Amino acid sequence: MPTGRVRRYPSDTTDAEWRVMARYVPAGGAGRAVSYPRRDVVDAIRYLAHNGCVWRALPVDFPPWPTVYHYFRTWTRDGTLTRLHAGLREQVRTAEGRNAQPSAALIDSQSVRTAETVARAQRSFDAGKKVNGRKRHIAVDTTGLLLVVLVTAAGVQDRDGGRVLLWALRTCFQRVTMIWADAGYQGHLVDWAAKCLGITVAIVRKLAGQVGFQVLHRRWVVERTLSWITRCRCTVRDYERQPEHHAAMVQWAMVIIMTRRLARRSQARRPKPRPLSADLAI
C-alpha cells in the first residue's frame, strides 16, 4: 500500500532506507486486514524506539497505536524482526568486503534501570553496578554489529548469562570459534565453552596499574555498540513488560543504524548527474 504521509521526524525512513529494508517487511496484515502502509508502521515503531515515548502517545500522523503495537508484537514473535536485522547485518558486512557470516565475536553486558511497568519478579539488583533492573547480554561481531541479545534480571551473573548467550551464538552462527570477553566471564565458562561448544573464549583484562577509562584491545568494540544502542531513548531505561520486547527494542535500535549506513553507501554509489554543456545550456 503506497504511503502519503509526510516524513517529518528524524527517525522516519528516507526513500533510500526504505528501499534497503522493504523486502524484509511482510506485505500482509499479520492476521488482520491491511489498512495502513507498512512503511508508516515501521516509521511509528522507529519513532517510539528512537524518542522513547509511550505507545499511547504516538503522534496522530502515524497509524493508531494498537495497530502499531500489534505489528511490533507479531513481527517480534514470528521472526520478521530477526530476519530483517540479520539481512541488514549481512548487507553491511558484505558491503565492507567481509564474509556475510562472522567467525569471531565479542560479548558483554549492560545493566539498566526499569520503569514501574516491569514486574518485580523480572528484575533484581546488580550489586556491582548498583542498578536495580534488568541486564542485557549482547554478542557482536568484530565491527560492532549485533549478533545475539539476551535480556535477564540485573542480578544474573555475567558468566551465567554468558552460557545461554554463547549457546545461542553457537546455534545461530556456526562459523564463530573465537570470543573476546572481559574478566566477568572468566572461570568455568571458559572451560565449558571450549569443551561443549568448541569456542575459544579469550579474557581481555585491564592493563596493569590502570586508573580510569582506557581503550582496551577488542573490548572497545562491544562497548561502542552498547553506546550505539543507547542513542535510542527507549533503550536507556527498560519500559517493556516482556523481556523479549526490550530485546526487540535493542534490535530496532541497530536496524536504524544499519539502514542509515546502507542508505549512505547506496547514495554514494549513485552516479552524479552530468552538468549540461555550455551549448546545451543556451
Side-chain angles (χ1 to χ4, degrees):
M1 181 181 294
T3 176
R5 178 180 161 271
V6 178
R7 264 66 206 173
R8 55 169 58 91
Y9 306 113
S11 57
D12 285 339
T13 56
T14 63
D15 292 340
E17 289 182 81
W18 182 243
R19 284 192 296 268
V20 167
M21 65 186 304
R23 58 176 168 167
Y24 301 107
V25 183
R32 61 174 63 183
V34 178
S35 303
Y36 299 93
R38 53 183 179 155
R39 183 176 177 181
D40 291 356
V41 175
V42 169
D43 282 346
I45 296 175
R46 286 169 53 122
Y47 178 91
L48 188 138
H50 186 268
N51 297 294
C53 72
V54 297
W55 287 99
R56 290 172 175 80
L58 280 174
V60 295
D61 57 331
F62 289 123
W65 78 263
T67 301
V68 177
Y69 181 74
H70 166 78
Y71 281 97
F72 169 81
R73 182 176 57 184
T74 302
W75 289 344
T76 301
R77 292 179 177 178
D78 67 8
T80 296
L81 175 59
T82 300
R83 289 188 292 272
L84 166 65
H85 180 270
L88 295 175
R89 182 184 61 244
E90 291 175 2
Q91 285 190 58
V92 173
R93 287 183 58 86
T94 302
E96 295 177 353
R98 298 175 179 269
N99 191 296
Q101 297 298 321
S103 59
L106 305 95
I107 60 175
D108 203 352
S109 66
Q110 183 181 44
S111 296
V112 293
R113 290 180 173 82
T114 53
E116 66 278 0
T117 52
V118 178
R120 183 174 298 179
Q122 295 183 3
R123 53 184 172 178
S124 58
F125 186 71
D126 182 349
K129 299 297 178 62
K130 303 296 188 292
V131 172
N132 183 11
R134 282 180 176 157
K135 180 181 289 186
R136 46 184 178 236
H137 310 258
I138 66 169
V140 303
D141 67 7
T142 53
T143 66
L145 299 179
L146 182 68
L147 300 176
V148 179
V149 57
L150 170 70
V151 178
T152 66
V156 175
Q157 295 294 322
D158 286 353
R159 61 179 62 92
D160 296 329
R163 176 172 294 208
V164 181
L165 190 70
L166 291 182
W167 185 273
L169 187 65
R170 185 58 171 166
T171 302
C172 300
F173 302 92
Q174 297 293 326
R175 295 185 70 246
V176 173
T177 57
M178 183 68 189
I179 302 289
W180 288 277
D182 62 25
Y185 295 92
Q186 65 185 349
H188 63 80
L189 178 65
V190 178
D191 300 330
W192 174 83
K195 180 180 179 180
C196 299
L197 303 180
I199 294 178
T200 301
V201 179
I203 302 300
V204 181
R205 305 181 186 278
K206 291 184 177 181
L207 302 176
Q210 176 179 339
V211 177
F213 173 78
Q214 290 190 30
V215 176
L216 300 178
H217 175 69
R218 293 293 183 183
R219 277 178 52 179
W220 69 270
V221 175
V222 64
E223 291 168 355
R224 181 185 60 179
T225 302
L226 291 171
S227 69
W228 284 349
I229 292 171
T230 52
R231 288 179 183 176
C232 288
R233 293 186 177 183
C234 203
T235 61
V236 175
R237 193 176 182 184
D238 191 348
Y239 299 92
E240 303 299 326
R241 295 181 184 274
Q242 303 299 326
E244 58 268 23
H245 287 179
H246 182 71
M249 286 298 179
V250 172
Q251 287 182 297
W252 277 108
M254 292 303 298
V255 164
I256 295 174
I257 292 173
M258 291 188 292
T259 52
R260 288 176 175 173
R261 189 180 299 184
L262 290 168
R264 287 195 298 267
R265 284 183 174 273
S266 64
Q267 291 174 343
R269 288 196 303 266
R270 284 190 173 187
K272 296 181 179 180
R274 299 176 62 183
L276 294 176
S277 65
D279 296 336
L280 294 177
I282 294 174

